[in-house]
Amino acid sequence: MAAMVVKRSVRSFCRMYVLSSPSPVATQLSQQVQKCAYSSSSTKHPFQGNGEGSSPTGHLTMTSSSNQLSTADIKKIPDAEVRKSVFISQSNDVFTNLALEDWIYRNFDLTNHHILMLWINKPSVVIGRHQNPFSETNVSALARNGIELARRNSGGGAVYHDPGNLNCTFFMPRARYDRKYNLTLLTRALYREYGINAELSARDDIVLLGKKISGTAAKLGQPNAYHHCTLLVNSNKLHLGASLAKDNVEITSKATASIPSPIKNLVDVNRTVNIQQLLSAIGYEFLRTPATQLTDGGRELLMKQRGFQLINPTDKWFPGITELRENFASWEWRFGKTPNFSVQKTIQLKSAGAGAHEMKVKVDVEKALIKEISLILPNHEPIPVVSDMVGRMYNEDCFHGIAEALRGANTENMQQAMGL
């Protein structure tokens, strides 16, 4: 009980800044941090720039001088000189949030400033930078169900997002990158707020009672890095499973493959958990924890931080973010970046006099465009198929259309052509 009193007392001193008109999502989130004082030591708008080298959000952007510090120099900076901010995106569009993430990574000077971005998306499937979307999900089915397919800029596997899933992105200099620090901070927030004992797996996933509640990936560049992860709160597990279900075909690909794991929602073990309260709890845990040490700085450290900031990701505050979003939403990025692969499916070629002949339809795909179609029979060389589908964009519906067309072709003529 004493711990709860201390926690609420500490929260009442945290600053919160609001950017632009809050969306309905932002309004709900702000209710969770309404005890924060809307204060600033300056009469400026809290997101106003501070002159040369600063961003429209009032935070320093990278300059040549900030890039001159070596890894060793950055590691020597004491935690007392590092400030923290919690950015809460008001957008629930997956491409906008990926663009915001990329904008911060590209532009912010994180030498003395660490950022935690918290964001929630509408239903979508997000794959890793080096993945094949057709190996991870059924792209045609996603389109029919109105679920976006996005490719992020980091590695890792495919994940499903919806309003019951909280996304967390930790930004820091590459020299201070520490994945276990970030994940442990999340488990501390879960325990402090709800008494939930989550653990880290050997693969740096967060697990609860042996099941995965969080996936993780990172982008390590110079001078900046970020580490992002998901937290399953009350995600729709039926939709999750259906959205990550693959087409029943044989795919040969060198792309990074996801490793399926049993999952659990936080509400499965504590029905009081909700997204807004959890978001607030994680933000406070981040602000009260020093930059590199997993100790509790309490009220004193909270008073020194930049606090919660509701972010509206627009060009006004993040110049060029619209172009970044367009790139993330483009066909060229989502599908054109797919590593080359081939798809095969067995079909039966029937004949009234000769019985059934089994063969495989094979489609070779390059940059998500159909490169070649062929038929494969036992003990035969592949037989090329001439089709106007070559050069067109690949998807599952297209492949099955090709297979059905070949299955329904004139059997006698096909057998003669194949020497059957």
mmCIF file of all heavy atoms in Angstrom, residues 53 59-63 65-67 104 107-114 224:
data_model
loop_
_atom_site.group_PDB
_atom_site.id
_atom_site.type_symbol
_atom_site.label_atom_id
_atom_site.label_comp_id
_atom_site.label_asym_id
_atom_site.label_seq_id
_atom_site.Cartn_x
_atom_site.Cartn_y
_atom_site.Cartn_z
ATOM 1 N N GLY A 53 20.065 23.994 -35.046
ATOM 2 C CA GLY A 53 20.344 22.644 -34.587
ATOM 3 C C GLY A 53 19.221 22.015 -33.798
ATOM 4 O O GLY A 53 19.372 20.941 -33.267
ATOM 5 N N HIS A 59 13.484 19.692 -29.619
ATOM 6 C CA HIS A 59 14.565 18.786 -29.246
ATOM 7 C C HIS A 59 15.693 18.928 -30.256
ATOM 8 O O HIS A 59 15.458 19.156 -31.436
ATOM 9 C CB HIS A 59 14.059 17.345 -29.208
ATOM 10 C CG HIS A 59 12.970 17.141 -28.207
ATOM 11 N ND1 HIS A 59 13.216 16.818 -26.901
ATOM 12 C CD2 HIS A 59 11.626 17.241 -28.329
ATOM 13 C CE1 HIS A 59 12.065 16.708 -26.261
ATOM 14 N NE2 HIS A 59 11.089 16.967 -27.097
ATOM 15 N N LEU A 60 16.915 18.771 -29.803
ATOM 16 C CA LEU A 60 18.048 18.948 -30.686
ATOM 17 C C LEU A 60 18.052 17.901 -31.788
ATOM 18 O O LEU A 60 17.813 16.731 -31.560
ATOM 19 C CB LEU A 60 19.352 18.845 -29.881
ATOM 20 C CG LEU A 60 19.635 19.990 -28.898
ATOM 21 C CD1 LEU A 60 20.932 19.726 -28.172
ATOM 22 C CD2 LEU A 60 19.684 21.324 -29.630
ATOM 23 N N THR A 61 18.331 18.370 -32.994
ATOM 24 C CA THR A 61 18.540 17.442 -34.106
ATOM 25 C C THR A 61 20.031 17.282 -34.330
ATOM 26 O O THR A 61 20.837 18.070 -33.846
ATOM 27 C CB THR A 61 17.882 17.972 -35.389
ATOM 28 O OG1 THR A 61 18.303 19.320 -35.612
ATOM 29 C CG2 THR A 61 16.371 17.942 -35.260
ATOM 30 N N MET A 62 20.407 16.250 -35.058
ATOM 31 C CA MET A 62 21.816 15.932 -35.219
ATOM 32 C C MET A 62 22.545 17.001 -36.024
ATOM 33 O O MET A 62 22.059 17.484 -37.036
ATOM 34 C CB MET A 62 21.974 14.566 -35.884
ATOM 35 C CG MET A 62 21.605 13.415 -34.973
ATOM 36 S SD MET A 62 22.032 11.813 -35.665
ATOM 37 C CE MET A 62 20.832 11.690 -36.983
ATOM 38 N N THR A 63 23.709 17.370 -35.571
ATOM 39 C CA THR A 63 24.585 18.299 -36.269
ATOM 40 C C THR A 63 25.945 17.650 -36.409
ATOM 41 O O THR A 63 26.209 16.589 -35.860
ATOM 42 C CB THR A 63 24.736 19.612 -35.474
ATOM 43 O OG1 THR A 63 25.363 19.316 -34.219
ATOM 44 C CG2 THR A 63 23.381 20.259 -35.219
ATOM 45 N N SER A 65 28.673 18.526 -35.082
ATOM 46 C CA SER A 65 29.363 18.444 -33.789
ATOM 47 C C SER A 65 28.853 17.269 -32.960
ATOM 48 O O SER A 65 29.615 16.605 -32.262
ATOM 49 C CB SER A 65 29.173 19.749 -33.007
ATOM 50 O OG SER A 65 27.804 19.995 -32.784
ATOM 51 N N SER A 66 27.553 16.979 -33.055
ATOM 52 C CA SER A 66 27.014 15.878 -32.263
ATOM 53 C C SER A 66 27.482 14.538 -32.791
ATOM 54 O O SER A 66 27.472 13.547 -32.069
ATOM 55 C CB SER A 66 25.484 15.927 -32.256
ATOM 56 O OG SER A 66 24.963 15.670 -33.540
ATOM 57 N N ASN A 67 27.877 14.492 -34.069
ATOM 58 C CA ASN A 67 28.341 13.245 -34.650
ATOM 59 C C ASN A 67 29.815 12.983 -34.383
ATOM 60 O O ASN A 67 30.321 11.915 -34.725
ATOM 61 C CB ASN A 67 28.105 13.246 -36.168
ATOM 62 C CG ASN A 67 26.632 13.150 -36.518
ATOM 63 O OD1 ASN A 67 25.872 12.571 -35.771
ATOM 64 N ND2 ASN A 67 26.256 13.718 -37.647
ATOM 65 N N ILE A 104 12.580 10.099 -36.209
ATOM 66 C CA ILE A 104 13.318 10.296 -34.957
ATOM 67 C C ILE A 104 14.705 9.672 -35.058
ATOM 68 O O ILE A 104 15.709 10.278 -34.683
ATOM 69 C CB ILE A 104 12.530 9.700 -33.771
ATOM 70 C CG1 ILE A 104 11.210 10.453 -33.579
ATOM 71 C CG2 ILE A 104 13.361 9.738 -32.487
ATOM 72 C CD1 ILE A 104 10.275 9.794 -32.578
ATOM 73 N N ASN A 107 16.952 11.875 -37.355
ATOM 74 C CA ASN A 107 17.148 13.304 -37.124
ATOM 75 C C ASN A 107 17.497 13.726 -35.705
ATOM 76 O O ASN A 107 18.138 14.762 -35.530
ATOM 77 C CB ASN A 107 15.874 14.060 -37.553
ATOM 78 C CG ASN A 107 15.640 13.987 -39.041
ATOM 79 O OD1 ASN A 107 16.325 14.631 -39.819
ATOM 80 N ND2 ASN A 107 14.674 13.172 -39.442
ATOM 81 N N PHE A 108 17.084 12.998 -34.694
ATOM 82 C CA PHE A 108 17.284 13.480 -33.331
ATOM 83 C C PHE A 108 18.714 13.265 -32.851
ATOM 84 O O PHE A 108 19.336 12.233 -33.144
ATOM 85 C CB PHE A 108 16.324 12.773 -32.368
ATOM 86 C CG PHE A 108 15.008 13.479 -32.218
ATOM 87 C CD1 PHE A 108 14.222 13.761 -33.319
ATOM 88 C CD2 PHE A 108 14.549 13.871 -30.969
ATOM 89 C CE1 PHE A 108 13.015 14.407 -33.188
ATOM 90 C CE2 PHE A 108 13.333 14.519 -30.826
ATOM 91 C CZ PHE A 108 12.570 14.791 -31.940
ATOM 92 N N ASP A 109 19.208 14.231 -32.105
ATOM 93 C CA ASP A 109 20.481 14.080 -31.391
ATOM 94 C C ASP A 109 20.157 13.442 -30.040
ATOM 95 O O ASP A 109 19.602 14.079 -29.153
ATOM 96 C CB ASP A 109 21.143 15.441 -31.202
ATOM 97 C CG ASP A 109 22.506 15.343 -30.527
ATOM 98 O OD1 ASP A 109 22.883 14.218 -30.116
ATOM 99 O OD2 ASP A 109 23.196 16.365 -30.411
ATOM 100 N N LEU A 110 20.505 12.178 -29.916
ATOM 101 C CA LEU A 110 20.176 11.416 -28.716
ATOM 102 C C LEU A 110 21.335 11.329 -27.732
ATOM 103 O O LEU A 110 21.256 10.589 -26.747
ATOM 104 C CB LEU A 110 19.752 9.999 -29.119
ATOM 105 C CG LEU A 110 18.560 9.915 -30.083
ATOM 106 C CD1 LEU A 110 18.370 8.485 -30.565
ATOM 107 C CD2 LEU A 110 17.291 10.425 -29.423
ATOM 108 N N THR A 111 22.374 12.110 -27.976
ATOM 109 C CA THR A 111 23.562 12.027 -27.132
ATOM 110 C C THR A 111 23.229 12.231 -25.663
ATOM 111 O O THR A 111 23.688 11.484 -24.792
ATOM 112 C CB THR A 111 24.599 13.089 -27.569
ATOM 113 O OG1 THR A 111 24.834 12.960 -28.977
ATOM 114 C CG2 THR A 111 25.908 12.912 -26.818
ATOM 115 N N ASN A 112 22.415 13.245 -25.370
ATOM 116 C CA ASN A 112 22.022 13.534 -23.988
ATOM 117 C C ASN A 112 20.517 13.439 -23.795
ATOM 118 O O ASN A 112 19.956 14.069 -22.907
ATOM 119 C CB ASN A 112 22.501 14.938 -23.593
ATOM 120 C CG ASN A 112 24.007 15.047 -23.586
ATOM 121 O OD1 ASN A 112 24.626 15.309 -24.626
ATOM 122 N ND2 ASN A 112 24.616 14.840 -22.432
ATOM 123 N N HIS A 113 19.888 12.654 -24.656
ATOM 124 C CA HIS A 113 18.431 12.619 -24.628
ATOM 125 C C HIS A 113 17.940 11.259 -25.124
ATOM 126 O O HIS A 113 18.167 10.889 -26.282
ATOM 127 C CB HIS A 113 17.874 13.735 -25.527
ATOM 128 C CG HIS A 113 16.378 13.795 -25.565
ATOM 129 N ND1 HIS A 113 15.696 14.306 -26.649
ATOM 130 C CD2 HIS A 113 15.442 13.420 -24.666
ATOM 131 C CE1 HIS A 113 14.395 14.242 -26.409
ATOM 132 N NE2 HIS A 113 14.221 13.707 -25.219
ATOM 133 N N HIS A 114 17.292 10.490 -24.277
ATOM 134 C CA HIS A 114 16.700 9.222 -24.667
ATOM 135 C C HIS A 114 15.191 9.390 -24.820
ATOM 136 O O HIS A 114 14.572 10.141 -24.067
ATOM 137 C CB HIS A 114 16.988 8.135 -23.632
ATOM 138 C CG HIS A 114 18.420 7.693 -23.611
ATOM 139 N ND1 HIS A 114 18.832 6.561 -22.939
ATOM 140 C CD2 HIS A 114 19.523 8.215 -24.193
ATOM 141 C CE1 HIS A 114 20.138 6.414 -23.099
ATOM 142 N NE2 HIS A 114 20.578 7.417 -23.845
ATOM 143 N N ASN A 224 22.807 6.711 -34.134
ATOM 144 C CA ASN A 224 21.614 6.364 -33.368
ATOM 145 C C ASN A 224 21.225 4.902 -33.524
ATOM 146 O O ASN A 224 21.646 4.211 -34.463
ATOM 147 C CB ASN A 224 20.436 7.244 -33.800
ATOM 148 C CG ASN A 224 20.592 8.686 -33.365
ATOM 149 O OD1 ASN A 224 21.406 8.990 -32.491
ATOM 150 N ND2 ASN A 224 19.835 9.589 -33.969
#
